[in-house]
Amino acid sequence: MKKLIFILLICLTASYGFSESIFQDSFEYANTEGETPVGWNCPENSWICGKFEQENNCKPHTGNWYIYTQNEDSWIFLRADALFGLHYNLSFWAISDGAFQMEICYGDNPDPESMNGQIASAIEIGGNNYQEIVFLPAVQESMKSVSA
């Protein structure tokens, strides 16, 4: 019995050590309707916060807030310093009122020209229901900022 408990304890510990969290943001705090999300870099204010359900599937997944864009080519950045060699759990929920394609990139600076590495490309978002996007990327030495 002691061996079984020890093995379960090792498995539980290993599962916590497999991935790290850098940040978690549900857009629930300190945001203003119609403004760029607090703490995020959005060139040309291409992503904005919403609180009330609107047309085009603009509605929160959980809570009261969400972010949305109405531009075909829009970027949103958050600096995330990561340690080389670790795996990080990157997950989010997305919804679209039609076919939408997105990429997750990384680079040295929070601007589209600097995002020269890809974690995931051509992610299809569509339908009337939220879908969860999950990745467990291993941090490469050159990864500094992550952007979706």
Side-chain angles (χ1 to χ4, degrees), residues 4-22:
L4 176 61
I5 292 173
F6 182 69
I7 290 171
L8 289 175
L9 183 61
I10 289 174
C11 290
L12 182 62
T13 304
S15 70
Y16 284 115
F18 179 71
S19 66
E20 295 287 328
S21 292
I22 299 174

Side-chain angles (χ1 to χ4, degrees), residues 135-148:
F135 294 94
L136 287 162
V139 175
Q140 306 301 315
E141 204 163 350
S142 62
M143 295 171 77
K144 290 183 182 176
S145 294
V146 176
S147 167

Side-chain angles (χ1 to χ4, degrees), residues 7-134:
I7 290 171
L8 289 175
L9 183 61
I10 289 174
C11 290
L12 182 62
T13 304
S15 70
Y16 284 115
F18 179 71
S19 66
E20 295 287 328
S21 292
I22 299 174
F23 63 89
Q24 180 176 353
D25 195 345
S26 63
F27 306 107
E28 286 295 311
Y29 304 103
N31 287 306
T32 302
E33 177 82 23
E35 298 290 326
T36 304
V38 172
W40 292 79
N41 183 344
C42 306
E44 301 172 10
N45 296 325
S46 59
W47 287 86
I48 53 178
C49 293
K51 184 171 183 172
F52 304 104
E53 191 168 332
Q54 301 177 18
E55 297 176 4
N56 304 329
N57 279 345
C58 289
K59 59 186 176 185
H61 177 255
T62 58
N64 297 311
W65 288 87
Y66 56 92
I67 62 169
Y68 66 97
T69 185
Q70 294 179 340
N71 301 346
E72 284 190 31
D73 186 20
S74 58
W75 290 80
I76 183 168
F77 302 94
L78 180 68
R79 181 162 182 91
D81 294 321
L83 297 175
F84 173 69
L86 291 180
H87 288 80
Y88 290 84
N89 184 359
L90 177 60
S91 65
F92 54 92
W93 292 87
I95 190 171
S96 177
D97 61 343
F100 181 76
Q101 203 173 62
M102 67 181 302
E103 299 174 338
I104 301 173
C105 302
Y106 65 91
D108 291 333
N109 294 304
D111 59 68
E113 294 77 30
S114 297
M115 295 291 122
N116 50 21
Q118 282 192 338
I119 296 174
S121 64
I123 303 167
E124 294 289 334
I125 308 294
N128 291 323
N129 297 315
Y130 270 95
Q131 60 192 81
E132 185 176 21
I133 313 298
V134 179

